Amino acid sequence: MRESGSGTPSGDVFRGLATLTPLQVLRFLDSGPRGLVEARAEELLARFGENTLPASRSVSWPRRVAGGLRDPFTTVLLCLGLVSAAVASWGTACVILFLVAVSCVLRAGGERRAEQSMAALRELVATTATVLRRTDEQAQPLPREIPVDLLVPGDVIRLGPGDLVPADVRLLRASGLTVHQAALTGESAPVPKYPVDAPEDPCTDLLGQPQLCFQGSSVASGNASAVVVATGARTRFAAAHGDIGRKRERTEFDRSVHGISWILIRFMLLTPPLVLMANAALRGRGLETLPFAVAVAVGLTPEMLPVIITTVQARGAALLARAGVIVKRLPALHDLGAVDVLCLDKTGTLTQDRPVVERSLDARGRPDPQVLNWAAVNAWWTLQLADLPVPDVLDEAILDAAQTCGIDLMEHEGVATLPFDPVRRLATAVVRRPARLGTHTLVVKGAVEDVLERCVLEEAERDRLLALAAREAESGLRVIAVARAERPARLGTYGVNDERGLAFSGFVTLRDALAPTAADALGALAHRGVAVKILTGDHPGTAARVCRELGLDAGEVVTAARLDELSERELADLAGRSTVFARCTPAHKARIVAALRARGHTTGFFGDGVNDLPALHAADVGICPRDAVDMARESADVVLAEKDLTAIDQAITAGRGSSGNIATYLRITLSSNLGNVIAMLGAGLLLPFLPMLPLQVLAQNLCFDAAQLAFAYDRPDPATLRRPTVLKPRAFLRFITGFGLLNAATDLATFGVLALALHGTTAADSEAAFHGGWFTENLLTQALVMLLLRSGRRTAERGAPGPVRLAATALAAIGVLLPLTPLGPWLGMTALPPVYYLLLGLVLALYAAGLAVAKARYDKRHADA
């Protein structure tokens, strides 16, 4: 076998093969019409490898766990843990390092489960191919079913209806072969394929060459034998998208969490030096306050953030997996919740992969059921009398319509047939009609231009009929012409020369069958504030018609030719206000998605073919169905069990629920922590002793952190599910500042209550009592914040106590009881007089009222926005 480059035809060499005759191609591949010998096939398999697409390599557990440290907040927590260990604050160091380890393990486990689910999906779509192989040179070739990954260049394979094209092939023989290339080009209509000695225009795009079929396409109708010319990574399927593995741009989740993390990181890096300098200047304390300074920084840190985020996302991904939705990349769950624009193809998503008859028209454009009758007669007897019955999707649609209309197809007797030929684009059935002895009726059905060319018509009439068909096509319909001719009965065979002198009967128009759930799913997406953009390779009229039938305002349909004339800024403006983009190439789809992202939208793209790969990679969230091509499944972030928009709505809802819980956790913990840190800094400068010992800070943080795990299981408010969830750093900063100051004011009021309640006690007793009183107040205020600031509060309170309410109750109980237990003195705390608890109850009541008022104002302002 002659080799070029990597050993199989590719690039210019492959284009050169397209210009050769079938015999020359077989000689180039050292093969023949009888196929390869088994020993030769094994040699080629060892040389070129299996016929599989390049897949992402599995990542080891240690690398997965270490990968969790790339998160900036996890890195900062690790650094704080090491600093705590350096200053001998072993308890703080152990807890922080434990939380870092838990977060990394949870994230690695979720990604590993997603990878295993994807491996299971790949097994579900594994397929075989029918190949001609010989045991030795003298043996006869035997057709065998072998796994597609064992195919090699030079293998001769057979293709039939419904088969996937397992590699790039050159046709040797074909009968009525049409191929779906939607996965490669986005064009929904089957493409005729047939062998030729050499193309008329060798410069034509390879996908347009009739003698070539490519991996990723499927046989719609007909039969063929072909020789494999490229396999695996050398196919056009893989080579055209070799850059899919490049590093993705940061998504909405990455940008938002990183923004919030770096705001907190600046505060945390600034806090210890300020504490040290203030205590040294005002209190004369030196490095002995370093553990306290580190504890203050830890107090500002939402230690549970990586754990909460990973737990929430893993739980959401697990719930979606039960519904058949696999989230491969856990942060993609938040990106789903933030999606406000969903881009998708029309074919197979809004429509089914089959046409249905719209109506039948006579030559004047008026409804005429007789035209459908003759079209059904043609379809039925062409199928019945063919040597190899091959149902075509258009014929099936016509026969379904005829059955619905009660047409009796057995009324006529079939005599002969000329099956559909992609070259002449016609199918002819010859029938004997009742009471028409001595006469045969030729019923011809096919492409409008080819049928009219064979009809007896004046030039003006032919032009009028062509214009009528063009108008129907512009409205988004597929048009088939029907004609008839009466011939004297004969015993001889019929040929293409008999398809002349026809009388035109009329047109049959067909439309794409709508997906049953598409209209409801589009309505649900609109209700959730998600705009839908249709990016299709189909005719503009077809796309617009589908949108109208689904109740989607198509507006002005933008064609790819117009996109080529626009700058990036102009395209971003056009993409924001347009809904349908037709005749799109893969590059156009990716460019539109990138333009929408440039306008600040969080985009999702739903696709299943090779032509969708650039757009899947360009979107914030790439989504594909389980039966998508292998490379699309590898590139996507989310894989659906079914090609159903309803599943996307479920995924977006789950994403918003998870994002809502994460946002609630961040608001509550950061506002509470900020208030505590402000109060801690103020008390540290006013009091002759440290306001809270490092061990007490650690105990408080442990209790609060453990309680906040409940947010991973909280039910968010339905209002959260009705709009995209975006974590905006500035909005978070305003929220935590406002509520943090309210919390700090409550702490300062508590200091006054403590001063009043502890008046007259000794210094030693006052310090332990102060620590116990503030510890109790801190946990009680944090319990109130958990109950009053969470987004799902109103929903949860209508039913049984939810996890957050139970956790807040436990937190409050610990705050009140812990200083009274034997652990209290060990932690440096003691019980307080009863008057303190009475006064504290009054302060907490005022704080709860303030929280409720502030939250109501925030909700109103947020709803108006």
Side-chain angles (χ1 to χ4, degrees):
M1 176 178 176
R2 299 177 180 87
E3 299 183 15
S4 174
S6 59
T8 56
S10 61
D12 294 336
V13 177
F14 189 84
R15 186 175 293 278
L17 280 181
T19 66
L20 301 179
T21 66
L23 182 59
Q24 289 171 328
V25 172
L26 289 170
R27 286 176 177 172
F28 180 90
L29 297 171
D30 287 344
S31 183
R34 298 192 303 161
L36 294 172
V37 177
E38 286 289 356
R40 176 61 175 164
E42 291 177 2
E43 292 176 9
L44 294 175
L45 184 64
R47 181 186 304 177
F48 301 119
E50 293 186 347
N51 179 34
T52 56
L53 293 171
S56 55
R57 298 172 63 183
S58 179
V59 181
S60 64
W61 255 102
R63 290 189 63 185
R64 287 186 188 278
V65 174
L69 296 176
R70 291 194 301 266
D71 178 80
F73 214 91
T74 305
T75 303
V76 170
L77 280 178
L78 180 61
C79 293
L80 283 174
L82 296 177
V83 170
S84 299
V87 299
S89 183
W90 300 111
T92 303
C94 290
V95 171
I96 291 178
L97 295 178
F98 174 75
L99 292 176
V100 169
V102 168
S103 173
C104 293
V105 169
L106 283 175
R107 178 171 295 183
E111 292 176 352
R112 175 62 178 165
R113 284 192 297 272
E115 184 180 89
Q116 291 172 341
S117 298
M118 283 301 300
L121 285 181
R122 282 191 287 271
E123 293 298 325
L124 287 176
V125 297
T127 186
T128 60
T130 303
V131 61
L132 293 181
R133 291 275 179 90
R134 295 174 290 159
T135 55
D136 54 57
E137 291 290 350
Q138 285 71 40
Q140 291 296 317
L142 296 175
R144 295 178 46 196
E145 289 286 329
I146 66 171
V148 294
D149 54 3
L150 299 183
L151 286 177
V152 295
D155 264 328
V156 175
I157 64 172
R158 291 178 177 176
L159 298 173
D163 286 347
L164 296 175
V165 179
D168 290 354
V169 301
R170 167 69 184 260
L171 294 178
L172 302 176
R173 292 185 298 275
S175 174
L177 183 68
T178 61
V179 173
H180 278 297
Q181 293 190 153
L184 299 163
T185 64
E187 182 66 47
S188 60
V191 179
K193 295 287 183 177
Y194 46 90
V196 295
D197 283 343
E200 298 178 3
D201 182 6
C203 296
T204 302
D205 178 68
L206 290 177
L207 290 171
Q209 298 280 356
Q211 75 278 20
L212 301 177
C213 295
F214 297 89
Q215 187 180 41
S217 54
S218 61
V219 177
S221 64
N223 296 273
S225 65
V227 59
V228 175
V229 296
T231 59
R234 302 169 185 85
T235 62
R236 182 181 178 89
F237 190 96
H241 300 279
D243 61 344
I244 292 303
R246 67 185 185 275
K247 186 177 179 180
R248 296 177 66 104
E249 295 182 15
R250 287 201 305 174
T251 65
E252 174 60 32
F253 178 81
D254 300 327
R255 293 191 296 268
S256 57
V257 171
H258 282 219
I260 294 170
S261 297
W262 282 111
I263 288 175
L264 296 175
I265 288 168
R266 294 186 187 101
F267 276 111
M268 291 180 336
L269 295 177
L270 186 63
T271 299
L274 285 178
V275 173
L276 289 174
M277 289 186 295
N279 276 275
L282 299 178
R283 289 292 176 183
R285 301 171 183 145
L287 290 178
E288 66 270 15
T289 60
L290 182 57
F292 175 71
V294 173
V296 172
V298 173
L300 181 63
T301 306
E303 300 97 329
M304 295 296 290
L305 177 60
V307 177
I308 290 287
I309 287 178
T310 307
T311 303
V312 168
Q313 291 174 343
R315 180 172 179 266
L319 292 175
L320 283 175
R322 296 175 192 170
V325 180
I326 296 174
V327 180
K328 294 171 53 185
R329 184 177 57 86
L330 288 183
L333 193 63
H334 171 81
D335 293 326
L336 277 169
V339 163
D340 58 353
V341 175
L342 177 65
C343 302
L344 47 86
D345 197 352
K346 171 189 70 64
T347 306
T349 306
L350 301 179
T351 63
Q352 302 178 52
D353 293 325
R354 64 179 183 87
V356 293
V357 172
E358 175 72 7
R359 54 182 177 167
S360 55
L361 307 172
D362 64 13
R364 309 307 300 178
R366 297 169 299 197
D368 185 352
Q370 279 301 312
V371 177
L372 175 62
N373 185 13
W374 287 117
V377 168
N378 173 282
W380 175 256
W381 287 110
T382 299
L383 180 64
Q384 295 300 313
L385 298 177
D387 292 335
L388 296 173
V390 181
D392 176 80
V393 291
L394 298 181
D395 286 344
E396 288 179 345
I398 290 172
L399 292 174
D400 287 343
Q403 182 178 8
T404 302
C405 296
I407 296 174
D408 182 10
L409 297 175
M410 303 305 296
E411 181 183 3
H412 306 85
E413 180 184 352
V415 175
T417 183
L418 297 175
F420 179 82
D421 185 329
V423 178
R424 75 186 210 284
R425 301 196 300 172
L426 298 173
T428 298
V430 182
V431 298
R432 184 181 297 110
R433 301 168 65 185
R436 291 290 186 95
L437 297 178
T439 302
H440 287 171
T441 301
L442 276 70
V443 186
V444 180
K445 169 175 62 64
V448 173
E449 295 84 354
D450 295 271
V451 171
L452 291 179
E453 181 183 341
R454 291 163 172 78
C455 291
V456 180
L457 295 168
E458 295 183 1
E459 191 67 27
E461 179 65 6
R462 182 177 288 107
D463 292 342
R464 187 188 67 79
L465 291 173
L466 287 172
L468 174 59
R471 286 196 299 272
E472 294 294 319
E474 286 295 327
S475 68
L477 297 173
R478 202 175 301 175
V479 185
I480 294 175
V482 181
R484 288 180 294 137
E486 302 293 335
R487 298 283 191 267
R490 68 177 190 231
L491 297 177
T493 60
Y494 285 85
V496 294
N497 291 330
D498 294 301
E499 298 173 330
R500 300 288 176 183
L502 305 177
F504 182 74
S505 298
F507 299 112
V508 175
T509 61
L510 302 99
R511 57 176 173 81
D512 291 328
L514 300 179
T517 61
D520 292 339
L522 289 175
L525 290 170
H527 179 67
R528 302 198 189 284
V530 179
V532 174
K533 308 287 183 182
I534 312 299
L535 316 183
T536 179
D538 264 352
H539 189 284
T542 303
R545 184 183 188 90
V546 169
C547 290
R548 289 194 301 270
E549 291 177 348
L550 291 173
L552 187 65
D553 183 11
E556 178 188 3
V557 179
V558 180
T559 60
R562 182 178 174 187
L563 298 180
D564 294 332
E565 303 170 355
L566 301 177
S567 66
E568 297 304 319
R569 181 185 295 273
E570 292 170 335
L571 176 59
D573 292 338
L574 181 64
R577 64 176 185 270
S578 300
T579 300
V580 181
F581 300 83
R583 298 298 189 193
C584 289
T585 65
H588 288 129
K589 294 181 179 182
R591 192 173 170 220
I592 293 168
V593 171
L596 289 167
R597 290 187 68 184
R599 282 179 60 90
H601 294 290
T602 302
T603 60
F605 185 87
F606 183 52
D608 61 354
V610 178
N611 62 314
D612 296 321
L613 286 174
L616 283 169
H617 195 84
D620 289 285
V621 187
I623 310 169
C624 75
R626 182 183 68 186
D627 58 358
V629 297
D630 289 346
M631 291 186 69
R633 291 199 309 276
E634 294 292 340
S635 183
D637 302 304
V638 178
V639 180
L640 310 181
E642 302 294 339
K643 201 172 187 179
D644 190 349
L645 282 181
T646 304
I648 298 182
D649 178 59
Q650 293 174 351
I652 289 176
T653 302
R656 291 183 181 178
S658 298
S659 299
N661 286 345
I662 293 172
T664 299
Y665 162 75
L666 283 171
R667 292 191 184 100
I668 289 174
T669 190
L670 293 180
S671 59
S672 180
N673 287 359
L674 179 62
N676 287 341
V677 166
I678 293 173
M680 199 177 296
L681 290 174
L685 299 178
L686 296 175
L687 296 174
F689 51 83
L690 292 177
M692 191 171 286
L693 300 178
L695 188 59
Q696 294 165 355
V697 175
L698 175 62
Q700 175 185 290
N701 287 347
L702 277 176
C703 294
F704 192 28
D705 291 342
Q708 288 179 106
L709 276 175
F711 286 118
Y713 304 93
D714 194 21
R715 291 183 60 189
D717 187 12
T720 304
L721 308 179
R722 288 198 293 267
R723 57 178 177 269
T725 304
V726 181
L727 304 177
K728 297 180 179 179
R730 290 186 178 180
F732 266 82
L733 187 58
R734 289 194 298 268
F735 184 96
I736 65 176
T737 300
F739 286 93
L741 290 175
L742 183 59
N743 183 276
T746 304
D747 287 342
L748 294 175
T750 302
F751 295 164
V753 170
L754 283 167
L756 182 61
L758 300 176
H759 180 69
T761 59
T762 63
D765 292 339
S766 294
E767 182 176 348
F770 183 93
H771 291 158
W774 196 18
F775 181 88
T776 296
E777 184 266 349
N778 267 334
L779 292 193
L780 289 175
T781 55
Q782 288 169 344
L784 282 174
V785 167
M786 287 182 63
L787 288 175
L788 298 179
L789 291 190
R790 86 182 199 270
S791 61
R793 175 170 58 90
R794 292 183 297 275
T795 300
E797 288 178 349
R798 287 198 291 267
V804 173
R805 182 185 291 184
L806 294 175
T809 302
L811 184 64
I814 291 172
V816 172
L817 299 177
L818 186 61
L820 307 178
T821 66
L823 284 176
W826 183 76
L827 292 171
M829 299 183 291
T830 188
L832 287 96
V835 66
Y836 166 73
Y837 295 101
L838 293 175
L839 295 174
L840 179 61
L842 178 61
V843 171
L844 293 177
L846 293 174
Y847 177 55
L851 278 178
V853 172
K855 180 64 164 53
R857 292 183 61 184
Y858 171 82
D859 288 341
K860 184 177 185 304
R861 186 165 59 248
H862 191 61
D864 293 340

